[in-house]
Amino acid sequence: MMHLSLLRSHGLFLPFIKRCPDIKVCRIKRRSQGCVSTCTVIRHRWMKSISPVRDFSSNASEKESFDMSEFPVERIRNFSIIAHIDHGKSTLADRLLEITGAIAKTASNKQVLDKLQVERERGITVKAQTASLFYQHDGQTYLLNLIDTPGHVDFSYEVSRSISACQGVLLIVDANQGIQAQTVANFYLAFEAQLTIIPVINKIDLKNADPERVEKQIEKVFDIPREECIKISAKLGTNVDQVLREVVRRIPPPTARVDDPFTALVFDSTFDHYRGVVANIVVFGGRVSRGDRIVSAHLGKSYEVNELGVLRPDQHPTQTLYAGQVGYIISGMKEVKEAQIGDTLYLQKQPMEALPGFKPAKAMVFAGMYPMDQSDYTALRSAVEKLTLNDSSVTVQRDSSLALGAGWRLGFLGLLHMEVFNQRLEQEYNASVIITAPTVPYKAVLASAKLIKEHGDEVITIINPAHFPERSLVVKYLEPMVLGTIIAPDDFTGKIMSLCQNRRAVQKNMFYIDDHRVMMKYLFPLNEVVVDFYDQLKSMSSGYASFDYEDAGYEAAELIKMDFLLNGQPVEELAIIIHKEKAYSAGKAICERLKDSIPRQMFEIAVQAAVGSKIIARETIKAYRKNVLAKCYGGDITRKMKLLKKQAEGKKKMRRIGNIDVPKDAFINVLKRT
Amino acid sequence: MSFMYDIFFYSLWPRRALLRQHHALQCLGRAVASVRLRSIATHRLPPHADEASLYVHWPYCLKRCSYCNFNKYIPRSQNHGVMTECLQKETQTLLQLSQVSRISSVFFGGGTPSLAQPSTIAAVLETVSKNAHLSDDAEVTLEVNPTPAGKASLKDFVLAGVNRFSIGIQSLNEDHLRTLGRDHNSQHALLTVSEARTLCPGRVSVDVMFALPGQSVKSWESELEKLLPVCDDHVSLYQLTLERGTQLFKQVETGELSVPGDDVTADMYKSARRVLENAGLCQYEVSSFAKNNAVSEHNIGYWRSNQYIGVGPGAHGRFVPRAVGGAQREARTQTLEPDVWIREVQRHGHGTRRRIQLDHHGLLEEVLVMGLRMNEGITQQHWELFSPEADLQQIFGMSENVQELQAGGLLILNDRGLRCSWEGLALLDSILPTMLLELETFFQSRVSAETQTFRET
């Protein structure tokens, strides 16, 4: 287990909890009691491959081998639950597991599928989980495969993976809060995948519940007749059985044929320390059994199936998996990249065309990560490696900063993704790190044929400001855009509009989803929402506004590179790429931060922000003129010598720019997320 | 506890053979270390090993000052006889240990040494004279609290052998004196200075403090103007330092009192330097001003890194324990608590609690740090005494950082030596870390160069 003996920099990551729509602080507190044991669960799960903590009911402990041939395609339903954060997705999953006997009905079943500490603390799902349920309906046993999905669009990659294995979704909406930004985003993901959508209004037991209003919203926003909504209380179990009935009734079975040659889609994979890669698959055709030789279409490598089975939600080995079924497969793959998500598996003796896969996850937010102390680099590296094994959507690039030492530049799908990664690093590996302010990937369209030849492409992506090409070398710069959805009570419309305007956003549309709530769509530069947009939106709307965004491509933008100078010397690690309009305010703010965090020295220090050769902001750190003159009592120079030598040692660790000693703290203050 | 005693007692009187054995073991360590030992450390004893100054600490005070965190005790009762015996005993032990033949100056500090009986002072001086040469005109300073009682005994102290007084008047402003928790007023201070000047004309120093709570540059200047006509030929200037754990620290922390900011205290120091210089009191060290060359010889001894022997609870010393075959200077500290110190002296003849050997590099660090406190800085000749193998130019001349300090007008390195400019003196503590790093760099490059030579031969 990892032990980086360091200060725990909770402060770096916690703010997002506040900012994250609809996560209630009280909930976090309540759950924090379970932290220690939850932590153990995770480690056991990944390091020893068994999950000793969740000792499920008799069904699970017997571990009988199911004969999966009992479930023909007609009696299979594959579905997901999608919802805005905290609308009760995981609680509903718990109830479904209980009703179908996958887990015993006890009071302690809370978010059984949310295995990570961070998931339980934040009430979100990060990593999709799968559970196969056996459900009796009209005298027949149905196999219902519930594929749990992350609730946040940062994890929409996971969502779309899950959705590809499904034919239908349960769209959960809180009966009190109504449709929120992520409800909309998730709806469209399912809608575009042409899945059957069953709207479920949850929490009807709440005092302020207003299911009728929410029905109307669903009708208006999603164009789903209100009669189709199922009103439930997952907490109390009210009408949950109806949900299962409707799953069987409304969601079509998978269109897979057991007579076809075997093909399966890998929709998730995890790494098990002892058994190697565990791939979660959905069988699109045919059957696969233990001992079969299979081939991965992506790499063309062949493997023998050592073990396969269903997830209930823990692993139950079976002999065979048949068309339409969902399960896991272990076949001696040693690295996660061998089980590429979206890859197709087929039998060696019956080669097949690859199924359409997934777009690879695209990192949209980048941040530098450095160990608090360089001596912890190795330990941190192994922590990062372990964590990325199970989250292949994080891109990792080695980086080093003159001020912060060796580290990495990590790419995340979004801000929440970044925070969750950091929190997992802290909680599961006890690591403490410095995270720099997030940046987004810009692009430049090169002007000359020579440059294009040099780079091998007309368009280059710029992650590091040091690689920002000069204006004269490019036709134009491009910045990533997102389409943001904001849902808020109409009292706040004015304020929200001016906030968005300040963020260079362009309004796309706006309409009332009910009498008081407005849904606004804005096209934002991604850069404008990655830093503190959530915070401001939340605080100006007293917490009522929700926000979500989706990728909206790139647009041309007037970008410039801004340097920061100390007495005329540029400080490489502080350079930023920024929109022309924002240069002045950002330059001034960073100069002020530098002024406050660099200690006064023997010489005056000019702190400047510069665009090219033009200085656009300046602060001055005045020289100090005198040290403290303390009396040297009775020849006691030992104390004085000690102090001076400590200062001399400290000086060694400082980054020297020109004649200025800049302590690491100053860089951290300026670079880190606020 | 007894274990610790054993160690230090045993190590204090090792046999010569044992020490040599220790050396041999060190030499076995690494080739690099042995080279270094051969080339640097085997040269003769540090300079002036034959003489030292003596510091005697009197740990008692009548009252706790609100700013002081120094080693002092407010005794319920006090046995002057025992204290005298122990000071004498420790003086004798350490003088013999150092084998110095001459004591150049004596300083009685505290605490409040003017609370000691003049006979105690006389007895200690007597002991010094018995064990080493103490010239008749050697400087013997006593710190004095300017209370009526202190004033009354000045004459007896002179008779006991004191020939210089350092009077802690601190301030001539009654409010400030109250804030500082002093047990005298400005009237007492003036009378005491006057009496001292009569007794030791030209050999009286006054300590004054600035950056006091509520003080402005203007009020500080007017205080100085008030002081000039009454003071003698020496003034020591200190800035009030807020020490953790003192009453004043708490008062400032809770906002009850506030002290002037950095820019104000810089102005105070600057104006004091100007006012004193105008009055003919020349600055010769960061905190010290004198006219008619009435410098404190004892303090100059510290700044020139001469040997000194510290006697009394918590006293510090720097000398070569030649009687036990020592070849290197040691930094020594005596036991802090007076009662424990007394028991140790009675039992072992001394109360040395800590001994740290100063290697060649360590000694040069002190020479540098202390020497730069003086206006004259470190002369080439002075440096050569301690570092015959590398002169100031070799060590500091090529350094960019030093050149930058010179260009900034803070430091001067030339044929005469190394010193701070007028502006640089106020920033000494910021200059020193740079200088210490340069010294270290020089030593490291030297060791690696010698390792190279060693490999080649």
Side-chain angles (χ1 to χ4, degrees):
Chain A
M1 228 119 303
M2 302 283 316
H3 286 289
L4 303 185
S5 54
L6 279 171
L7 299 165
R8 313 235 331 165
S9 61
H10 276 305
L12 285 178
F13 312 119
L14 287 181
F16 198 81
I17 291 180
K18 284 180 271 163
R19 189 188 309 150
C20 211
D22 305 332
I23 293 181
K24 290 171 195 145
V25 174
C26 63
R27 183 161 180 182
I28 293 158
K29 278 185 190 150
R30 180 159 52 81
R31 286 186 186 145
S32 65
Q33 291 172 331
C35 282
V36 177
S37 62
T38 316
C39 212
T40 327
V41 176
I42 294 152
R43 286 178 177 151
H44 277 292
R45 185 178 141 71
W46 286 343
M47 306 215 162
K48 296 192 182 145
S49 86
I50 45 166
S51 38
V53 176
R54 284 190 286 103
D55 194 2
F56 293 120
S57 65
S58 54
N59 285 22
S61 53
E62 284 165 20
K63 289 238 172 192
E64 81 261 43
S65 185
F66 303 108
D67 179 2
M68 297 309 289
S69 67
E70 286 172 16
F71 301 101
V73 172
E74 315 83 80
R75 277 190 281 117
I76 297 173
R77 301 290 184 273
N78 293 333
F79 71 105
S80 279
I81 309 178
I82 54 179
H84 188 80
I85 284 171
D86 219 20
H87 279 196
K89 176 170 62 86
S90 300
T91 312
L92 177 59
D94 289 349
R95 288 300 92 74
L96 297 180
L97 262 59
E98 282 172 11
I99 288 176
T100 57
I103 59 171
K105 197 166 181 171
T106 65
S108 61
N109 287 332
K110 279 184 182 151
Q111 300 173 290
V112 169
L113 296 182
D114 287 345
K115 293 174 185 175
L116 304 179
Q117 184 185 355
V118 53
E119 292 178 326
R120 287 165 179 252
E121 278 182 13
R122 293 188 174 212
I124 57 174
T125 303
V126 173
K127 188 82 188 152
Q129 301 291 344
T130 298
S132 292
L133 315 173
F134 302 121
Y135 178 61
Q136 300 291 331
H137 180 70
D138 287 344
Q140 285 195 299
T141 307
Y142 283 81
L143 173 66
L144 309 185
N145 293 309
L146 163 59
I147 295 156
D148 196 17
T149 61
H152 193 271
V153 173
D154 265 9
F155 305 103
S156 62
Y157 178 65
E158 295 261 347
V159 176
S160 63
R161 269 155 43 181
S162 308
I163 279 174
S164 72
C166 297
Q167 285 70 47
V169 296
L170 300 175
L171 178 68
I172 314 289
V173 187
D174 184 303
N176 175 24
Q177 292 185 358
I179 290 177
Q180 299 288 308
Q182 281 148 45
T183 320
V184 179
N186 282 326
F187 169 82
Y188 281 110
L189 275 173
F191 185 75
E192 280 161 22
Q194 298 183 320
L195 303 188
T196 302
I197 295 164
I198 304 176
V200 175
I201 300 172
N202 188 20
K203 305 195 190 181
I204 56 168
D205 57 305
L206 289 184
K207 209 172 72 189
N208 296 322
D210 189 354
E212 283 69 38
R213 180 175 63 95
V214 177
E215 274 181 347
K216 279 186 218 155
Q217 287 180 354
I218 288 172
E219 197 169 65
K220 187 158 183 189
V221 179
F222 301 137
D223 204 17
I224 299 175
R226 67 181 70 177
E227 295 74 31
E228 289 186 17
C229 295
I230 309 172
K231 288 173 246 176
I232 68 159
S233 163
K235 194 174 137 200
L236 304 179
T238 317
N239 294 341
V240 173
D241 196 54
Q242 192 193 340
V243 173
L244 285 171
R245 279 202 305 276
E246 295 302 319
V247 165
V248 173
R249 212 170 54 79
R250 291 195 213 170
I251 296 176
T255 52
R257 288 155 45 96
V258 77
D259 304 327
D260 286 350
F262 166 68
T263 49
L265 182 74
V266 177
F267 68 91
D268 198 5
S269 67
T270 51
F271 185 76
D272 182 294
H273 209 65
Y274 296 100
R275 299 188 297 172
V277 174
V278 180
N280 287 0
I281 58 166
V282 52
V283 183
F284 274 29
R287 69 184 76 185
V288 64
S289 303
R290 193 151 55 189
D292 284 349
R293 279 210 79 80
I294 56 166
V295 175
S296 113
H298 181 66
L299 292 175
K301 282 175 83 172
S302 74
Y303 305 90
E304 185 181 314
V305 178
N306 301 327
E307 183 184 328
L308 50 70
V310 291
L311 297 152
R312 299 228 344 108
D314 53 347
Q315 296 167 358
H316 277 250
T318 59
Q319 265 308 318
T320 308
L321 284 173
Y322 297 89
Q325 295 177 355
V326 172
Y328 72 96
I329 192 162
I330 299 170
S331 56
M333 292 179 179
K334 293 282 181 293
E335 288 180 68
V336 171
K337 61 174 177 245
E338 291 179 80
Q340 191 90 29
I341 289 159
D343 198 0
T344 303
L345 305 178
Y346 54 80
L347 292 177
Q348 196 171 27
K349 57 188 182 197
Q350 279 178 301
M352 295 292 294
E353 289 248 326
L355 299 160
F358 304 100
K359 281 188 291 185
K362 192 168 60 175
M364 288 308 284
V365 176
F366 290 84
M369 187 172 86
Y370 301 88
M372 206 71 107
D373 192 305
Q374 277 297 309
S375 60
D376 294 315
Y377 178 84
T378 317
L380 187 60
R381 185 182 59 199
S382 97
V384 169
E385 277 169 3
K386 281 183 189 148
L387 209 45
T388 47
L389 271 183
N390 278 313
D391 187 354
S392 51
S393 54
V394 180
T395 62
V396 182
Q397 225 179 326
R398 276 172 66 174
D399 200 359
S400 75
S401 150
L402 289 168
L404 306 177
W408 302 268
R409 180 150 286 266
L410 302 180
F412 301 98
L413 302 176
L415 268 189
L416 183 65
H417 185 210
M418 176 170 96
E419 302 234 348
V420 163
F421 184 87
N422 295 334
Q423 198 177 335
R424 288 183 65 183
L425 205 57
E426 285 207 323
Q427 289 177 342
E428 295 165 33
Y429 298 96
N430 201 17
S432 200
V433 295
I434 301 162
I435 304 289
T436 64
T439 59
V440 301
Y442 293 105
K443 288 182 176 178
V445 181
L446 298 172
S448 74
K450 188 172 160 244
L451 279 172
I452 294 167
K453 200 175 166 197
E454 226 171 77
H455 288 93
D457 201 348
E458 190 190 357
V459 180
I460 56 166
T461 302
I462 311 146
I463 293 167
N464 185 342
H467 304 143
F468 190 73
E470 267 180 52
R471 187 72 186 85
S472 61
L473 302 177
V474 303
V475 178
K476 60 181 173 183
Y477 298 110
L478 302 169
E479 68 176 330
M481 306 297 289
V482 290
L483 185 63
T485 302
I486 299 168
I487 295 179
D490 57 3
D491 320 1
F492 304 110
T493 312
K495 281 194 205 166
I496 290 172
M497 284 170 72
S498 71
L499 172 68
C500 292
Q501 213 162 2
N502 283 336
R503 300 297 178 127
R504 301 192 284 128
V506 179
Q507 197 178 66
K508 288 293 170 190
N509 67 46
M510 167 172 162
F511 75 98
Y512 278 79
I513 60 169
D514 61 23
D515 293 347
H516 297 294
R517 297 186 151 256
V518 179
M519 179 162 95
M520 288 171 270
K521 295 238 176 197
Y522 276 91
L523 189 64
F524 284 95
L526 177 60
N527 185 45
E528 296 289 337
V529 295
V530 293
V531 180
D532 56 356
F533 181 75
Y534 282 103
D535 266 343
Q536 292 205 10
L537 183 69
K538 271 306 208 191
S539 70
M540 71 168 41
S541 66
S542 314
Y544 284 111
S546 66
F547 174 74
D548 213 330
Y549 63 83
E550 59 193 285
D551 186 2
Y554 275 78
E555 280 191 7
E558 284 300 316
L559 300 175
I560 50 174
K561 179 184 166 195
M562 185 152 59
D563 289 308
F564 291 89
L565 318 175
L566 296 180
N567 282 354
Q569 298 259 1
V571 187
E572 194 185 302
E573 52 267 63
L574 296 181
I576 55 171
I577 299 170
I578 194 160
H579 193 270
K580 212 171 167 183
E581 264 177 39
K582 293 295 176 95
Y584 178 73
S585 58
K588 194 165 161 6
I590 294 177
C591 284
E592 279 168 10
R593 256 155 99 177
L594 276 170
K595 183 191 174 180
D596 292 341
S597 46
I598 298 176
R600 287 172 78 174
Q601 312 204 355
M602 287 186 280
F603 310 96
E604 184 176 283
I605 304 169
V607 181
Q608 295 168 312
V611 175
S613 57
K614 195 176 155 210
I615 303 295
I616 59 165
R618 178 190 165 122
E619 293 286 334
T620 305
I621 303 170
K622 282 205 286 182
Y624 61 66
R625 295 148 53 203
K626 179 187 76 46
N627 302 120
V628 173
L629 314 165
K631 189 167 179 172
C632 180
Y633 289 97
D636 176 9
I637 57 178
T638 308
R639 199 160 69 149
K640 179 93 189 162
M641 288 302 302
K642 251 190 199 159
L643 193 71
L644 286 168
K645 293 185 79 165
K646 208 173 126 191
Q647 285 168 353
E649 282 306 305
K651 225 174 145 62
K652 273 195 213 164
K653 291 190 186 127
M654 285 193 237
R655 169 112 155 79
R656 200 162 164 83
I657 292 150
N659 58 355
I660 303 152
D661 289 317
V662 186
K664 190 171 164 183
D665 279 354
F667 284 101
I668 295 173
N669 284 344
V670 175
L671 293 173
K672 78 168 184 205
R673 299 201 48 210
T674 46
Chain B
M1 199 64 178
S2 70
F3 174 68
M4 214 175 102
Y5 274 35
D6 284 350
I7 287 180
F8 92 76
F9 192 63
Y10 180 67
S11 61
L12 186 59
W13 305 112
R15 306 237 184 291
R16 264 163 195 278
L18 208 82
L19 198 89
R20 252 183 255 119
Q21 198 180 7
H22 178 63
H23 242 265
L25 279 172
Q26 268 188 342
C27 296
L28 280 174
R30 277 177 306 161
V32 178
S34 75
V35 171
R36 198 157 133 206
L37 273 172
R38 193 146 36 85
S39 65
I40 301 170
T42 52
H43 77 195
R44 67 213 183 288
L45 288 176
H48 306 306
D50 194 41
E51 66 170 58
S53 58
L54 178 71
Y55 174 81
V56 184
H57 192 76
W58 184 264
Y60 303 110
C61 286
L62 277 180
K63 188 170 179 276
R64 198 177 295 275
C65 296
S66 68
Y67 59 91
C68 177
N69 75 336
F70 201 52
N71 185 34
K72 40 99 211 336
Y73 299 84
I74 319 292
R76 256 167 278 145
S77 65
Q78 206 172 317
N79 189 333
H80 284 273
V82 170
M83 201 57 198
T84 307
E85 258 172 46
C86 288
L87 287 173
Q88 280 185 290
K89 181 70 198 165
E90 192 171 55
T91 302
Q92 186 190 349
T93 308
L94 298 185
L95 276 172
Q96 286 172 356
L97 182 64
S98 73
Q99 288 188 346
V100 295
S101 62
R102 203 175 84 89
I103 286 295
S104 49
S105 64
V106 183
F107 194 102
F108 292 92
T112 310
S114 54
L115 292 176
Q117 291 175 342
S119 58
T120 300
I121 306 298
V124 171
L125 292 174
E126 183 75 10
T127 307
V128 174
S129 292
K130 270 190 199 153
N131 291 281
H133 176 66
L134 178 65
S135 125
D136 284 346
D137 53 7
E139 182 186 282
V140 179
T141 308
L142 177 79
E143 278 185 350
V144 177
N145 232 18
T147 57
K151 174 183 165 265
S153 47
L154 291 184
K155 199 187 287 176
D156 294 328
F157 283 123
V158 170
L159 289 173
V162 171
N163 55 23
R164 185 172 180 271
F165 291 111
S166 171
I167 304 175
I169 64 173
Q170 317 307 1
S171 172
L172 288 173
N173 174 313
E174 306 303 340
D175 291 340
H176 291 156
L177 289 172
R178 257 193 305 278
T179 309
L180 296 174
R182 301 290 299 185
D183 54 0
H184 72 270
N185 61 32
S186 65
Q187 190 59 28
H188 297 148
L190 294 174
L191 289 171
T192 308
V193 172
S194 162
E195 170 78 1
R197 290 182 71 180
T198 314
L199 291 167
C200 301
R203 304 199 71 163
V204 176
S205 176
V206 293
D207 280 5
V208 279
M209 282 176 124
F210 67 100
L212 304 177
Q215 198 172 41
S216 66
V217 179
K218 216 162 169 203
S219 69
W220 164 238
E221 281 175 348
S222 72
E223 236 177 289
L224 279 174
E225 294 296 343
K226 222 159 97 186
L227 177 76
L228 284 174
V230 293
C231 75
D232 197 45
D233 288 356
H234 195 279
V235 174
S236 292
L237 204 64
Y238 300 111
Q239 178 175 346
L240 170 67
T241 337
L242 293 172
E243 302 282 2
R244 210 161 265 284
T246 61
Q247 190 196 330
L248 200 64
F249 182 88
K250 272 179 230 135
Q251 288 172 308
V252 171
E253 193 154 70
T254 58
E256 191 186 322
L257 293 173
S258 71
V259 289
D262 289 349
D263 286 326
V264 178
T265 60
D267 284 340
M268 286 177 172
Y269 184 59
K270 192 173 162 189
S271 77
R273 291 171 91 182
R274 201 195 57 233
V275 169
L276 293 173
E277 298 273 343
N278 286 345
L281 285 150
C282 303
Q283 182 171 24
Y284 67 99
E285 187 258 355
V286 174
S287 290
S288 308
F289 299 78
K291 63 182 166 195
N292 304 322
N293 204 28
V295 296
S296 163
E297 280 176 31
H298 184 84
N299 284 341
I300 282 189
Y302 294 145
W303 302 322
R304 293 214 174 122
S305 299
N306 292 339
Q307 291 203 111
Y308 55 98
I309 295 167
V311 165
H316 289 252
R318 292 280 187 284
F319 63 89
V320 184
R322 287 200 291 168
V324 290
Q328 276 181 315
R329 192 179 281 194
E330 288 181 358
R332 304 169 69 99
T333 315
Q334 310 308 107
T335 294
L336 274 176
E337 306 85 351
D339 293 347
V340 183
W341 174 83
I342 285 170
R343 275 204 301 279
E344 287 172 12
V345 175
Q346 285 171 339
R347 208 170 297 166
H348 312 297
H350 67 92
T352 303
R353 177 54 63 103
R354 232 160 64 104
R355 302 166 52 202
I356 295 166
Q357 295 221 332
L358 282 177
D359 62 7
H360 186 59
H361 180 196
L363 181 57
L364 286 184
E365 285 181 331
E366 293 200 352
V367 171
L368 185 67
V369 165
M370 299 314 278
L372 283 177
R373 291 185 68 88
M374 294 181 289
N375 264 32
E376 65 171 38
I378 302 157
T379 62
Q380 296 286 7
Q381 296 85 330
H382 178 56
W383 184 259
E384 203 196 331
L385 271 180
F386 292 91
S387 171
E389 72 285 351
D391 66 22
L392 290 165
Q393 203 67 44
Q394 278 173 277
I395 297 173
F396 300 107
M398 303 308 285
S399 152
E400 265 180 48
N401 294 326
V402 172
Q403 283 165 6
E404 199 172 273
L405 289 168
Q406 288 181 269
L410 300 176
L411 196 70
I412 297 154
L413 173 62
N414 57 21
D415 295 344
R416 253 174 66 198
L418 178 71
R419 64 191 172 96
C420 289
S421 69
W422 198 83
E423 289 80 12
L425 214 50
L427 291 168
L428 178 61
D429 283 356
S430 301
I431 296 172
L432 288 174
T434 302
M435 304 308 284
L436 288 172
L437 284 179
E438 293 303 331
L439 187 63
E440 189 185 316
T441 308
F442 176 80
F443 267 88
Q444 277 166 357
S445 68
R446 216 186 143 85
V447 168
S448 61
E450 275 165 16
T451 317
Q452 199 68 37
T453 327
F454 181 73
R455 284 207 191 104
E456 280 163 15
T457 50

